[in-house]
Amino acid sequence: MSAASDIVPVGLSEGRTRVVIERITPAVDDGRFPIKRVLGDTVEVEADCLADGHEVVACALLWRQGGATDWQRTTMQPLGNDRWRAAFAVTELGTWEYTVCAWVDPFLSWRSDFARRVDADDVRIAALSGARLIDEAAQRAGRHGDGRLLRAWSAELGAAAGSTEVAQLHRIGLDDARAAAAQRHPDLRHAMTHPQALAVTVERVRARFSSWYEFFPRSAAAQPGRHGTFADCEAWLPYVQRMGFDVIYFPPIHPIGRTRRKGRNNTLDPRPDDVGSPWAIGAAEGGHEAILSDLGTLADFKRLILRAAEHDIEIALDIAFQCSPDHPWVQEHPQWFRKRADGSIQYAENPPKKYQDIYPFDFESAEWREMWEALVGVFEHWIRQGVRIFRVDNPHTKAFAFWEWAIARVRASHPDVIFLSEAFTRPKVMHRLAKVGFSQSYTYFTWRNTKPELSAYFTALSQGPGREYFRPNLWPNTPDILPAALQYGGRAVFMSRVALAATLGANYGIYGPAFELLEHRALRSGGEEYLDSEKFELRAWQRDSAQSLADFIGVLNRARRDNPALQGDAGLRFLAIDNEQLIAYAKVSDDRSNIVVCIVNLDPHHTQSGWVEIDPGAFGLDPGQTYQMHELITGAHFLWHGARNFVSLDPQRCPAHVMQLRARLLRENDFDYFL
Amino acid sequence: MSAASDIVPVGLSEGRTRVVIERITPAVDDGRFPIKRVLGDTVEVEADCLADGHEVVACALLWRQGGATDWQRTTMQPLGNDRWRAAFAVTELGTWEYTVCAWVDPFLSWRSDFARRVDADDVRIAALSGARLIDEAAQRAGRHGDGRLLRAWSAELGAAAGSTEVAQLHRIGLDDARAAAAQRHPDLRHAMTHPQALAVTVERVRARFSSWYEFFPRSAAAQPGRHGTFADCEAWLPYVQRMGFDVIYFPPIHPIGRTRRKGRNNTLDPRPDDVGSPWAIGAAEGGHEAILSDLGTLADFKRLILRAAEHDIEIALDIAFQCSPDHPWVQEHPQWFRKRADGSIQYAENPPKKYQDIYPFDFESAEWREMWEALVGVFEHWIRQGVRIFRVDNPHTKAFAFWEWAIARVRASHPDVIFLSEAFTRPKVMHRLAKVGFSQSYTYFTWRNTKPELSAYFTALSQGPGREYFRPNLWPNTPDILPAALQYGGRAVFMSRVALAATLGANYGIYGPAFELLEHRALRSGGEEYLDSEKFELRAWQRDSAQSLADFIGVLNRARRDNPALQGDAGLRFLAIDNEQLIAYAKVSDDRSNIVVCIVNLDPHHTQSGWVEIDPGAFGLDPGQTYQMHELITGAHFLWHGARNFVSLDPQRCPAHVMQLRARLLRENDFDYFL
């Protein structure tokens, strides 16, 4: 690779540009949006490069870090059928760019013809042509190094052209080592550089691989009934660390509105001591940049961030852009909200339902510029306090253009900030939010339970166009959603759902302790709201319950940490298994050195068994080979053989196998399954 | 539809634009190239249009003829999943454009909410909001018509808002007829018009449906040994018309070089009376704009064009951009050709093969502008003489940029000109030529013989991305290519190959009379060159041979003319048939009123039979229905029943069935097979 600032784009105004470049991949919406990678990843770029006629085309991948003016250059290799490939590594956070440059190469064309010439006169004349082309390359190379070498070669070939010795001329003219020197200085006068620079957003590894634990700090007190504080949360850190989570995410921590405050279980007649919903943001004490005094001070919060870091845990905040009627902005900036015909401010609603404790922002406000500045200021405020991960509440009810602008602005100075989109809405809206910049996205996993549902959905996510920009984050539950399966399936379903989340998704999370303590009581039959939801009251959790899944979750998170295959989403492939209640899939690491096979019994009531099929060759195994499956939950070792093996899972013990494939004879260069 | 010049593009500098538009289809290479249609076609456009939040999105297809400044507007209909569709008809030749405009619609959003409101206070306040929105629509509508109606409606709703009668308010506010008037005047202040205008090239119907007959005019003389003339060709017109062809295409008709002229059977030592290859273009008498005097005068040629038109036949010319050493341009413009190191002009070669009778143009010439002008001038010259169809020889050895420019320039003044690309080369090169403007393209059909080859290739052509720009033209033979199958397969293969070409492709052609007279003698075993090829000598053909396939071909072309299903390529679907030697497919017309089922026996030696499967529902048939298959070659009528029917084809009689499906109970609205 070398600097390539000498390659300038050539458009159709120059008729001598004969090469064309088509279908550069990867590209999101034809390059309208960046692809996503994390630090240390390799970006593999392909393109169709072709020209008229039979001459030899050459092409180079051009790439640079955002802000650099010079391109770096890597020669692309032909894949056949006019397709070419090269790769570059992204070694810094932020934006990178790439494009492709191609040209009809006179030297390589000459060389290809020269090797096939047999007539002596013909070879002599061609040797003279070659000497001229090599001399031109020498001039491009300069006075020293390659230039000197090429000048000597040109002179030697030109002089030899007087001879009739075809073999001798071929020997001189086809010298591989000196040809490589000539190729380092190609004739780019008629080169085409694709006019579009495609972008890559490079984030830190946690954007691709993270384990989230959500809990309400106000329920963190050791004494039932007392309002929890950030100081109480410090005592939770060893517990969360033992479970293996690396992100703790808090619902909004701001002052809570009093006007039309909701009571327990989402009632409209609160008692005086009801704490209200943290999503009704803002009171006289402050709004999105203030802290609810019951939780502690800003100093307490910053200390918690530091203490969490000592446990390898980051604190993520929930950013919910909406206001309680008491939010200071309602008075200060009434233009940021819609008015009803009676002059009152429009509350959130979905007729006939009304959410009168919440005012949405009006993204068609005439003062949208001031509002955008204020909203992005909320992120900037918490970044200044040390927060680097934000879970964004309902981003799909705010303008896409705002998110694109706001995320770019934050990343320009803080490329380490991660944004999780909590958009449970229509697929194209969720994808658009991922395209405009969200690092991770909530998914429909929460409601996908059967084998056909799960395999169709995760095949699309891992292999469809979204794989370049949509990083799924899988949640078996949230404070808003207690899915029916958890209400009725018992402990086995809690186990299978968290095992699925932790292995199907490189990013996943649970809302705890409700999850690990098997909270399954719904407010209403047929609904998904929790009974006695923490959204409206404090809860006291028995974290030491014998039923707790904390240890099981800890084992899953350890398997994730130890196996690169579970730290990415692209290497997922479903495996055939002859039982509709069993789902089987393999995950393979980018470098293919790590393979994990998961099998989950989706039936919480009965033992299910079946024959799972793998393609031994696809996993680098000899067809008749015996290999070891190391069960990472129980520590058991199974010996498997060939393509079909028997499994049986009793949901009363454990409904999932998470198995690392171990074989001595992995043939690294012989994988074709995942191409 | 209405003029929509009031819709202006809005970019991200306007933050209040909340709607986004993605994935407009059809589009070739993201809109870099136009899609292709013919006169009278409908262009069905789809797009993803979505916005944040829960308000109602509306969108319109914008379309106009090239050159118009105002857009026409058609409301798009939702297909679900945020996808929208509308269509427009292309009623003139030339370029058309389309794009999509979308917006969050305040009136429709209000209406959707209003219908769901139940609380009386709420409904009253919402009625006031509605009255205001309707008044705004009235202002956009102007003083009369809709404006007057909407002003009255606004007043009525505003006055009624004093009432508490929810039913009464709903009745007034949800009036369908007046809502339609409001929708005709939407609030487009925050509308997004997609910035890219996508192009359509509209050609005449013959670009999509044509039957070509190639012959050498110099072999047209009634007396063996005499050089044929254009006058002799006039006598061929009734013969070609009886066979049902509508395009006669001649190899180059220009003066033929004498320097290094090839002799019979491509030999290097011609006899003095050898006529040479018509592709060695140019002699002292003239070049690409001159006529070989042995063929007649320009007046003779123009008379032939007129006579042909009386037989519903067009004359197509072969444009081969290359020169014999005697071409006047070689002396006049030596800069248009490459030089060898010895100063001589570079002849065509593919080392070690040499084609010293032909000089290619150098598309990297410094004088490329002058050369481009001269080359496009060749088309313009023959257009002035009345030619409207050109078969272009080896376009893949000339620059893509030249073709894009030249075809656009010709079409700007003559949108009725059709260009056929004779590029037998790599797939992406062939596709690029189609993208840059060629109306039709030669294909690999010539070498696709087995059922898997044919079905994979034609499924890709008719359903892949090329369907928007690549119109296949199928040739079982050409003067350069006598495929092995025709050399060894006998009469049955000639019949099956022409039946496949005529039914798989809406455009096809044969090189005759070699084809219909079953010429199968190759110059060399293992090669594809004809023995005693007309490329190098005159031939005398026995057109009245009893073996001739002229009548069979006439029947095929009549079936094509009578069946719209055979006049397009998109409606092709292969059918299952349980015999590897039998290939079966259906073609369905755009309006689905015409269905043709073809079955071809690919084994020239044995009778083959099998059960062909159709999906009765997909063809508008009841599952147990009996229907008639009208065999268009023999005139036979078969009664078929249900999904599986038996066929048997004896290649010694006829290896193909071409059958029109006739049923009384076609359920036009119930087709789903081709969706």
Side-chain angles (χ1 to χ4, degrees):
Chain A
M1 71 185 72
S2 63
S5 56
D6 51 331
I7 299 178
V8 294
V10 178
L12 280 183
S13 64
E14 169 55 71
R16 286 174 290 180
T17 304
R18 293 161 52 208
V19 76
V20 298
I21 302 168
E22 301 185 332
R23 212 163 59 88
I24 301 180
T25 59
V28 178
D29 287 10
D30 324 324
R32 163 71 178 84
F33 298 103
I35 65 164
K36 290 180 186 153
R37 292 292 185 274
V38 300
L39 207 58
D41 274 352
T42 290
V43 181
E44 217 169 61
V45 180
E46 292 186 9
D48 293 341
C49 300
L50 47 139
D52 64 277
H54 306 291
E55 285 158 273
V56 176
V57 165
C59 46
L61 170 63
L62 307 186
W63 49 278
R64 64 186 174 195
Q65 205 177 346
T69 49
D70 283 0
W71 291 105
Q72 300 294 308
R73 182 164 106 197
T74 304
T75 302
M76 298 183 83
Q77 302 301 324
L79 304 175
N81 195 21
D82 294 311
R83 192 116 183 112
W84 300 77
R85 181 194 288 158
F88 67 101
V90 286
T91 51
E92 302 276 353
L93 296 181
T95 298
W96 292 63
E97 291 179 313
Y98 57 97
T99 191
V100 170
C101 173
W103 62 94
V104 176
D105 193 293
F107 172 75
L108 292 177
S109 301
W110 169 82
R111 182 176 157 87
S112 163
D113 280 358
F114 190 67
R116 287 178 291 139
R117 292 186 190 279
V118 291
D119 177 81
D121 280 350
D122 211 33
V123 174
R124 273 204 310 276
I125 292 170
L128 287 171
S129 302
R132 202 193 65 231
L133 290 168
I134 293 165
D135 186 60
E136 289 172 10
Q139 289 170 36
R140 289 189 294 272
R143 294 174 55 83
H144 306 291
D146 284 346
R148 186 188 305 264
L149 177 148
L150 291 168
R151 248 184 309 279
W153 187 23
S154 172
E156 180 184 351
L157 185 59
S163 146
T164 50
E165 262 269 43
V166 169
Q168 167 78 346
L169 284 169
H170 272 166
R171 194 184 53 72
I172 300 171
L174 296 173
D175 183 326
D176 284 334
R178 292 189 284 188
Q183 276 179 260
R184 282 193 288 272
H185 308 281
D187 177 358
L188 299 173
R189 280 175 301 165
H190 305 317
M192 158 67 87
T193 298
H194 197 276
Q196 189 175 32
L198 297 154
V200 192
T201 298
V202 179
E203 297 179 83
R204 54 195 173 105
V205 172
R206 194 155 282 175
R208 191 197 62 203
F209 171 54
S210 61
S211 311
W212 293 53
Y213 186 76
E214 173 178 8
F215 76 92
F216 283 73
R218 69 189 183 186
S219 296
Q223 303 79 9
R226 179 166 69 74
H227 196 286
T229 65
F230 294 134
D232 295 321
C233 292
E234 290 181 30
W236 282 51
L237 294 172
Y239 171 75
V240 177
Q241 186 182 27
R242 267 200 309 280
M243 281 193 287
F245 291 103
D246 50 28
V247 180
I248 283 177
Y249 137 53
F250 288 152
I253 60 174
H254 317 300
I256 296 172
R258 285 172 192 81
T259 304
R260 306 196 195 93
R261 175 177 286 193
K262 296 283 178 72
R264 294 171 184 232
N265 285 314
N266 203 10
T267 49
L268 297 175
D269 48 347
R271 295 185 305 202
D273 61 341
D274 275 350
V275 288
S277 163
W279 284 273
I281 295 171
E285 311 91 272
H288 285 77
E289 299 181 11
I291 288 178
L292 178 69
S293 57
D294 291 336
L295 290 171
T297 64
L298 180 58
D300 295 336
F301 179 65
K302 291 168 79 166
R303 193 181 58 235
L304 175 62
I305 291 176
L306 295 177
R307 290 272 186 280
E310 291 163 9
H311 291 79
D312 296 323
I313 292 171
E314 278 185 83
I315 302 292
L317 281 194
D318 189 347
I319 301 297
F321 283 140
Q322 56 195 22
C323 295
S324 95
D326 306 327
H327 196 294
W329 282 345
V330 175
Q331 299 301 321
E332 296 165 11
H333 301 286
Q335 310 83 349
W336 296 355
F337 305 90
R338 282 203 186 166
K339 298 281 184 311
R340 303 209 301 162
D342 65 354
S344 64
I345 290 183
Q346 177 67 63
Y347 45 80
E349 59 174 349
N350 180 19
K353 289 191 204 162
K354 305 177 184 186
Y355 309 94
Q356 289 162 306
D357 57 334
I358 288 176
Y359 290 169
F361 289 99
D362 176 13
F363 280 82
E364 291 182 357
S365 164
E367 297 187 4
W368 60 273
R369 287 180 192 278
E370 296 79 356
M371 189 178 80
W372 284 22
E373 288 287 347
L375 297 180
V376 84
V378 173
F379 289 108
E380 290 169 343
H381 170 79
W382 293 109
I383 289 168
R384 282 192 298 273
Q385 313 317 320
V387 178
R388 288 292 181 281
I389 306 185
F390 297 99
R391 177 268 199 193
V392 176
D393 189 78
N394 282 340
H396 58 291
T397 58
K398 289 92 195 173
F400 299 119
F402 164 72
W403 292 121
E404 188 165 12
W405 171 87
I407 293 172
R409 167 137 144 202
V410 168
R411 288 229 179 93
S413 48
H414 294 94
D416 57 340
V417 172
I418 291 172
F419 296 89
L420 166 61
S421 157
E422 187 250 8
F424 287 118
T425 181
R426 306 190 308 287
K428 287 173 186 171
V429 175
M430 292 168 67
H431 276 253
R432 180 78 183 194
L433 289 165
K435 290 178 196 173
V436 302
F438 280 92
S439 315
Q440 304 180 357
S441 307
Y442 279 58
T443 70
Y444 304 142
F445 168 75
T446 313
W447 302 277
R448 296 291 178 270
N449 292 294
T450 67
K451 178 153 83 169
E453 285 169 355
L454 288 164
S455 50
Y457 185 51
F458 283 95
T459 297
L461 285 178
S462 60
Q463 292 166 55
R467 67 179 284 180
E468 298 295 349
Y469 60 84
F470 188 98
R471 296 201 192 95
N473 192 328
L474 281 54
W475 291 73
N477 73 328
T478 78
D480 287 316
I481 310 167
L482 172 64
L486 294 184
Q487 295 177 38
Y488 303 111
R491 179 183 169 85
V493 167
F494 278 81
M495 292 176 78
S496 65
R497 294 298 294 171
V498 72
L500 287 165
T503 54
L504 281 172
N507 297 296
Y508 90 111
I510 59 171
Y511 154 54
F515 190 88
E516 69 266 25
L517 297 182
L518 313 180
E519 175 61 81
H520 65 281
R521 298 168 305 137
L523 178 60
R524 280 179 214 89
S525 168
E528 293 185 327
E529 276 188 271
Y530 275 96
L531 179 68
D532 302 333
S533 168
E534 285 182 287
K535 286 176 67 176
F536 308 104
E537 64 187 275
L538 312 183
R539 286 284 297 271
W541 296 103
Q542 298 299 319
R543 292 202 330 243
D544 55 357
S545 157
Q547 281 291 305
S548 172
L549 292 178
D551 289 343
F552 179 69
I553 293 167
V555 169
L556 290 173
N557 280 331
R558 195 169 318 123
R560 287 163 54 85
R561 222 171 24 243
D562 295 345
N563 287 276
L566 297 176
Q567 298 170 13
D569 291 311
L572 172 70
R573 293 297 183 279
F574 287 89
L575 305 175
I577 186 164
D578 56 352
N579 181 328
E580 267 311 285
Q581 294 295 337
L582 294 177
I583 186 167
Y585 44 95
K587 291 194 87 170
V588 179
S589 63
D590 285 351
D591 69 358
R592 295 168 177 175
S593 64
N594 179 237
I595 300 173
V596 172
V597 173
C598 302
I599 301 158
V600 179
N601 181 357
L602 302 173
D603 172 358
H605 305 299
H606 306 97
T607 297
Q608 296 283 352
S609 51
W611 292 84
V612 62
E613 292 181 38
I614 69 160
D615 174 358
F619 290 140
L621 303 169
D622 289 327
Q625 188 180 345
T626 297
Y627 47 99
Q628 191 190 80
M629 299 301 273
H630 178 198
E631 223 290 327
L632 300 171
I633 297 174
T634 61
H637 290 180
F638 302 108
L639 275 188
W640 280 22
H641 181 88
R644 283 169 60 86
N645 288 276
F646 184 79
V647 292
S648 182
L649 284 161
D650 174 0
Q652 300 315 312
R653 299 182 58 212
C654 177
H657 275 327
V658 178
M659 300 183 286
Q660 189 191 64
L661 190 153
R662 291 175 173 176
R664 268 171 304 181
L665 283 177
L666 284 174
R667 299 193 312 255
E668 301 239 348
N669 297 320
D670 203 33
F671 277 43
D672 56 3
Y673 188 62
F674 288 89
L675 288 183
Chain B
M1 75 185 73
S2 63
S5 56
D6 51 335
I7 299 177
V8 292
V10 178
L12 280 182
S13 62
E14 170 53 73
R16 285 175 291 180
T17 303
R18 292 162 50 207
V19 75
V20 297
I21 302 168
E22 301 185 334
R23 210 164 60 89
I24 302 181
T25 59
V28 177
D29 287 10
D30 324 323
R32 163 73 178 83
F33 298 103
I35 64 162
K36 290 178 185 157
R37 291 293 186 271
V38 299
L39 207 58
D41 274 352
T42 290
V43 180
E44 217 169 61
V45 179
E46 292 186 10
D48 292 341
C49 300
L50 46 139
D52 64 277
H54 306 292
E55 287 158 272
V56 177
V57 165
C59 47
L61 170 64
L62 307 186
W63 50 278
R64 64 186 173 196
Q65 207 178 344
T69 48
D70 283 0
W71 290 104
Q72 301 293 307
R73 182 165 106 197
T74 304
T75 301
M76 297 183 84
Q77 303 301 324
L79 304 176
N81 194 21
D82 293 312
R83 192 114 183 113
W84 300 76
R85 182 194 288 158
F88 67 101
V90 285
T91 52
E92 302 276 353
L93 297 180
T95 298
W96 292 63
E97 291 179 313
Y98 57 97
T99 191
V100 169
C101 173
W103 61 94
V104 175
D105 193 293
F107 172 75
L108 292 177
S109 301
W110 168 83
R111 183 175 156 87
S112 163
D113 280 359
F114 190 67
R116 288 178 290 140
R117 292 187 189 279
V118 291
D119 177 81
D121 279 350
D122 211 33
V123 174
R124 272 203 310 276
I125 293 171
L128 287 172
S129 300
R132 201 194 64 229
L133 290 168
I134 294 165
D135 187 61
E136 289 172 8
Q139 289 170 37
R140 289 189 293 271
R143 294 175 56 82
H144 307 292
D146 283 346
R148 186 187 306 262
L149 177 147
L150 290 168
R151 249 184 307 279
W153 187 24
S154 172
E156 181 183 350
L157 186 58
S163 147
T164 50
E165 262 268 41
V166 169
Q168 167 78 348
L169 283 169
H170 272 167
R171 194 185 51 73
I172 301 172
L174 296 172
D175 184 326
D176 284 334
R178 292 190 283 189
Q183 277 179 260
R184 283 193 288 270
H185 308 281
D187 177 359
L188 299 174
R189 280 175 301 165
H190 304 317
M192 158 68 87
T193 299
H194 198 275
Q196 189 175 34
L198 296 154
V200 193
T201 298
V202 179
E203 298 180 83
R204 56 197 172 105
V205 172
R206 193 154 284 173
R208 191 195 63 203
F209 171 53
S210 61
S211 311
W212 294 53
Y213 186 75
E214 174 179 8
F215 75 93
F216 283 73
R218 68 189 184 184
S219 295
Q223 305 80 10
R226 178 167 71 71
H227 196 287
T229 66
F230 293 133
D232 294 323
C233 292
E234 290 182 30
W236 282 52
L237 294 172
Y239 171 74
V240 176
Q241 187 182 25
R242 269 199 309 278
M243 282 193 287
F245 291 103
D246 50 29
V247 179
I248 283 177
Y249 138 53
F250 289 151
I253 60 174
H254 317 300
I256 296 171
R258 283 172 193 80
T259 303
R260 306 196 195 93
R261 174 177 286 192
K262 296 284 178 73
R264 294 170 183 231
N265 285 314
N266 204 9
T267 50
L268 297 173
D269 50 345
R271 295 184 309 200
D273 61 340
D274 274 351
V275 288
S277 162
W279 284 275
I281 294 172
E285 311 92 271
H288 284 79
E289 298 182 11
I291 288 178
L292 177 70
S293 58
D294 290 336
L295 290 171
T297 65
L298 179 59
D300 295 337
F301 179 65
K302 292 169 77 167
R303 194 180 60 234
L304 176 63
I305 291 175
L306 295 176
R307 291 273 186 280
E310 291 163 10
H311 291 79
D312 296 323
I313 293 170
E314 279 186 82
I315 302 293
L317 282 193
D318 189 346
I319 301 297
F321 283 140
Q322 56 196 24
C323 294
S324 95
D326 306 327
H327 195 296
W329 281 345
V330 176
Q331 298 301 320
E332 295 166 10
H333 301 287
Q335 309 83 349
W336 294 357
F337 305 90
R338 281 201 187 169
K339 298 282 186 310
R340 303 209 302 162
D342 65 353
S344 63
I345 290 181
Q346 177 67 62
Y347 46 80
E349 59 173 350
N350 181 17
K353 288 193 208 163
K354 305 177 182 187
Y355 310 93
Q356 289 162 307
D357 59 333
I358 288 175
Y359 290 169
F361 290 99
D362 176 13
F363 280 81
E364 291 182 357
S365 164
E367 296 188 3
W368 61 273
R369 287 180 193 278
E370 296 79 357
M371 189 179 79
W372 283 22
E373 288 287 347
L375 297 180
V376 83
V378 172
F379 289 108
E380 290 170 342
H381 170 79
W382 293 109
I383 289 168
R384 283 193 297 274
Q385 313 317 321
V387 178
R388 286 294 181 279
I389 305 185
F390 297 99
R391 178 268 198 193
V392 176
D393 189 78
N394 282 339
H396 58 291
T397 58
K398 289 93 197 172
F400 299 119
F402 164 72
W403 292 121
E404 187 164 13
W405 171 86
I407 292 172
R409 166 138 145 199
V410 167
R411 287 227 179 94
S413 48
H414 293 94
D416 57 341
V417 173
I418 291 172
F419 295 89
L420 166 61
S421 157
E422 186 251 7
F424 286 119
T425 182
R426 306 190 310 285
K428 288 172 185 170
V429 175
M430 293 169 67
H431 276 253
R432 179 79 183 194
L433 289 163
K435 291 178 194 172
V436 301
F438 280 92
S439 314
Q440 303 180 356
S441 307
Y442 279 57
T443 69
Y444 304 141
F445 167 74
T446 314
W447 301 277
R448 296 291 178 270
N449 293 295
T450 67
K451 177 152 83 171
E453 285 169 355
L454 288 163
S455 50
Y457 186 50
F458 284 95
T459 297
L461 285 176
S462 61
Q463 292 166 55
R467 67 179 286 181
E468 298 294 350
Y469 60 83
F470 188 98
R471 296 199 192 97
N473 192 327
L474 281 54
W475 292 73
N477 72 329
T478 78
D480 287 315
I481 310 167
L482 172 64
L486 295 184
Q487 295 177 38
Y488 303 111
R491 179 182 168 86
V493 168
F494 278 81
M495 292 176 78
S496 65
R497 294 297 295 172
V498 71
L500 287 165
T503 55
L504 281 172
N507 298 296
Y508 90 110
I510 59 171
Y511 153 52
F515 190 88
E516 68 265 26
L517 298 182
L518 314 180
E519 176 60 82
H520 65 282
R521 297 168 306 139
L523 178 59
R524 280 180 216 86
S525 167
E528 292 186 328
E529 276 188 271
Y530 276 97
L531 180 68
D532 302 334
S533 167
E534 286 182 287
K535 286 177 67 178
F536 307 105
E537 64 188 275
L538 312 182
R539 287 285 296 269
W541 296 103
Q542 298 299 318
R543 291 198 335 238
D544 55 357
S545 158
Q547 281 291 305
S548 171
L549 293 178
D551 289 344
F552 179 69
I553 293 167
V555 169
L556 290 172
N557 280 330
R558 195 169 317 121
R560 287 164 53 85
R561 221 168 29 242
D562 294 346
N563 286 277
L566 297 176
Q567 298 169 14
D569 291 311
L572 172 69
R573 291 300 183 277
F574 287 89
L575 306 175
I577 186 165
D578 56 352
N579 180 328
E580 267 309 287
Q581 294 295 336
L582 294 177
I583 187 167
Y585 45 94
K587 291 193 84 170
V588 179
S589 62
D590 284 350
D591 68 358
R592 297 170 176 175
S593 64
N594 178 239
I595 299 173
V596 173
V597 173
C598 303
I599 300 157
V600 179
N601 180 357
L602 301 173
D603 171 0
H605 305 299
H606 306 96
T607 296
Q608 296 283 352
S609 50
W611 291 84
V612 61
E613 291 181 39
I614 69 161
D615 174 357
F619 291 140
L621 303 169
D622 288 328
Q625 188 181 345
T626 297
Y627 47 98
Q628 192 191 77
M629 298 301 274
H630 178 197
E631 222 291 328
L632 300 170
I633 297 173
T634 62
H637 290 179
F638 303 108
L639 276 187
W640 280 21
H641 181 87
R644 282 168 60 86
N645 289 276
F646 184 78
V647 291
S648 182
L649 284 161
D650 174 359
Q652 300 315 310
R653 298 181 60 213
C654 177
H657 275 328
V658 178
M659 301 183 287
Q660 190 190 67
L661 190 154
R662 292 174 171 176
R664 272 169 303 180
L665 284 178
L666 283 175
R667 301 191 313 252
E668 302 238 348
N669 296 323
D670 203 32
F671 277 43
D672 55 5
Y673 188 61
F674 289 91
L675 287 183

